[in-house]
Amino acid sequence: MAQPRAIVIGGGHNGLIASIKLAEAGFKVTLIEARGKVGGMLDTVEVAGGRVSRLAYVIGLMPREFLEKYKIPVIRQDPFQVIKVGNRVIPFWRDRERRIRELLKAGEVKFPEFEDKLFKFKELIYRRFTFTDNPPSLSEVREEAVKAGVEEFIDETCSKLLSEYLSEDLHYAFMYPGMENSPAYLIAYYYTTDWSFVRGGMGSVADALAKYARGVGVDIRLNAKARSIIVSGDEVKGVETDAGVLEADVVLAAVSPATLDELLGGRLRYPKPPRPGWRKYNIVLRDYPRMPEELKPYAHSILDTEAGELVIPSILDDTRGRPVFEFMGSLELLMEEFNGLRDNVLAIDVADPSVAEREYNVPNGDVNHIPMRMPYLFNGRPGYRTGIRGLYLGSAGSYPGGQVTGIPGFNAALAVAKDYGRSLSFP
């Protein structure tokens, strides 16, 4: 029997992991990437002599098995996060006892119960519903959550659940703006004690994955933009690119569902994401400014203050060149918070939805491809199988959703392997 040919569209982390798994399952894999480098939004760029993570800037939701297998150079700062609200500065240590002690000292007496339930729910999701070729429904997850006694993460909104356990000024440390009326499932989705930096910036994740992919025989072709997906009847036949037609038995699209729909001429009618309002500032400095006294011991951590969320990866990562601040929030408030910051700025690179759309081929600049809210959670997101034989989707627009996890790419490859009678190992 001839070796089946697979084309993966998109060289982001999901596309790279999907290509690795397909190659390990015995497919002849070609990965095509429109840009001149792999990684997508995992991109390290140089700005005024400093190296910054242009878009994604921390890693924490990728399974540890993936991090270890692909040799991702993780820097595990401790505390992993520090929250400054009013007069309270609360370090979140990786060690549970130490973390709990700090929260209790800050007056958050219900935090231990909250975190215990949260981790119980996360463990349920990971064990039962994470690695699958058939995304679960809300009712399926709720049924198991009821059995485990943690159904509030399905039945309650983020705001309601947080109000039961935490002071109001801590709520936005556990949810993003816009999540208030979404299921508390999203609190569990984003909360982890594994948030870490990556040596060399987030582009190092892509570099490690690409090295592994080439090692298992994946043919990575850069500057190869997909123009259309060729379908005959209800079966995929290949991909038309700038350089010509590539024939294939399988096409796995690790791109936004909206992009896949465009490549098919609107055949699938996937939802089009609205334009979000995020903005990230990558600030390269001559020298470090004076830190607020209460934050000095934690300058190497993820800092959440009234200004926004700040990381200073160059403190721990000597590959960054000049001092680097990476920040999401109010730039004016940040300048006020850090004495001397304004005078130390060499350059500020601003990334926003227009940059993501124009430079990283993300429709409307939605980094999650499809909003992370109802009705687009669980099997409300497009499935890995598209209804066209041989055509699959495995990206942030697939279950379980956005952030740097690699799970959608893995699961899409799992669906391919199952449909073609191939075995797929974990991780």
Side-chain angles (χ1 to χ4, degrees):
M1 183 178 178
Q3 185 180 26
R5 302 159 298 175
I7 295 172
V8 175
I9 303 174
H13 70 286
N14 279 304
L16 287 163
I17 287 178
S19 71
I20 289 167
K21 300 314 299 181
L22 290 177
E24 290 177 341
F27 289 81
K28 182 179 181 180
V29 182
T30 300
L31 182 148
I32 59 174
E33 165 55 45
R35 301 177 71 231
K37 61 195 294 191
V38 294
M41 291 181 281
L42 306 190
D43 192 12
T44 303
V45 299
E46 185 167 323
V47 177
R51 301 182 74 228
V52 301
S53 295
R54 187 85 187 281
L55 296 177
Y57 54 100
V58 288
I59 196 165
L61 301 186
M62 181 174 281
R64 289 194 179 190
E65 294 90 344
F66 289 8
L67 298 176
E68 293 169 3
K69 174 173 179 173
Y70 304 125
K71 296 181 171 56
I72 308 299
V74 171
I75 299 173
R76 289 175 58 81
Q77 78 285 358
D78 201 19
F80 63 91
Q81 187 173 10
V82 174
I83 298 170
K84 180 181 182 296
V85 286
N87 295 321
R88 297 192 297 172
V89 175
I90 308 173
F92 281 67
W93 300 95
R94 296 189 188 275
D95 176 74
R96 185 181 185 280
E97 289 187 10
R98 196 175 184 187
R99 183 171 65 253
I100 293 295
R101 191 160 56 245
E102 293 285 356
L103 269 294
L104 292 176
K105 186 169 69 174
E108 300 298 327
V109 296
K110 290 188 176 182
F111 181 80
E113 181 185 358
F114 168 73
E115 194 182 64
D116 284 347
K117 288 186 175 182
L118 187 153
F119 280 140
K120 187 175 183 181
F121 179 76
K122 283 181 70 74
E123 193 277 332
L124 167 68
I125 293 292
Y126 190 82
R127 175 172 45 86
R128 293 295 305 272
F129 298 113
T130 295
F131 302 103
T132 176
D133 65 305
N134 189 26
S137 67
L138 177 64
S139 61
E140 288 174 315
V141 175
R142 185 183 186 281
E143 182 180 350
E144 294 301 317
V146 168
K147 292 177 184 176
V150 287
E151 64 270 20
E152 58 261 60
F153 286 93
I154 296 297
D155 292 343
E156 297 185 7
T157 66
C158 292
S159 287
K160 185 175 187 299
L161 183 67
L162 290 172
S163 295
E164 293 173 9
Y165 290 100
L166 300 173
S167 301
E168 187 175 353
D169 59 359
L170 279 186
H171 287 191
Y172 287 102
F174 293 87
M175 68 176 177
Y176 295 114
M179 281 172 49
E180 294 87 349
N181 295 316
S182 292
Y185 159 77
L186 290 177
I187 296 171
Y189 185 90
Y190 289 112
Y191 182 75
T192 179
T193 60
D194 286 333
W195 288 118
S196 303
F197 300 127
V198 176
R199 182 173 174 79
M202 293 297 282
S204 295
V205 178
D207 293 342
L209 292 173
K211 180 179 179 181
Y212 197 99
R214 290 187 175 102
V216 294
V218 176
D219 177 15
I220 298 177
R221 301 187 187 182
L222 303 176
N223 299 304
K225 185 175 179 64
R227 292 297 179 185
S228 65
I229 294 174
I230 303 167
V231 176
S232 177
D234 286 320
E235 186 172 1
V236 75
K237 293 297 182 182
V239 178
E240 182 182 358
T241 73
D242 290 337
V245 171
L246 297 175
E247 296 181 348
D249 304 294
V250 168
V251 174
L252 193 156
V255 297
S256 165
T259 299
L260 175 57
D261 208 21
E262 289 178 9
L263 294 173
L264 290 164
R267 176 170 176 166
L268 296 179
R269 301 181 184 274
Y270 284 148
K272 304 298 189 291
R275 185 174 291 273
W278 61 271
R279 178 168 292 189
K280 178 171 184 266
Y281 300 94
N282 300 306
I283 308 169
V284 179
L285 305 171
R286 293 182 180 86
D287 200 356
Y288 291 104
R290 186 178 303 163
M291 292 282 294
E293 286 297 322
E294 65 272 21
L295 295 179
K296 274 185 179 179
Y298 312 117
H300 60 288
S301 302
I302 300 171
L303 304 175
D304 283 303
T305 73
E306 292 178 2
E309 182 165 281
L310 170 70
V311 297
I312 316 173
S314 47
I315 291 177
L316 297 177
D317 184 356
D318 60 6
T319 71
R320 296 303 190 99
R322 294 184 178 275
V324 168
F325 274 31
E326 297 179 13
F327 175 70
M328 296 188 77
S330 167
L331 192 59
E332 283 304 310
L333 287 179
L334 184 72
M335 294 293 183
E336 293 174 10
E337 198 167 49
F338 285 78
N339 188 23
L341 175 58
R342 195 182 304 272
D343 294 334
N344 268 309
V345 172
L346 279 175
I348 300 178
D349 167 71
V350 180
D352 61 15
S354 66
V355 169
E357 184 172 40
R358 181 178 65 252
E359 299 184 29
Y360 296 90
N361 304 306
V362 180
N364 274 336
D366 190 326
V367 297
N368 295 316
H369 292 179
I370 293 175
M372 289 290 287
R373 63 170 185 261
M374 295 300 289
Y376 305 118
L377 300 178
F378 306 110
N379 64 353
R381 302 179 87 74
Y384 308 119
R385 298 174 177 87
T386 64
I388 298 172
R389 176 172 168 75
L391 179 61
Y392 298 80
L393 174 67
S395 69
S398 312
Y399 174 79
Q403 296 286 323
V404 183
T405 73
I407 295 166
F410 179 93
N411 285 352
L414 181 64
V416 174
K418 183 172 287 190
D419 292 349
Y420 284 80
R422 303 272 169 156
S423 61
L424 193 105
S425 63
F426 177 81

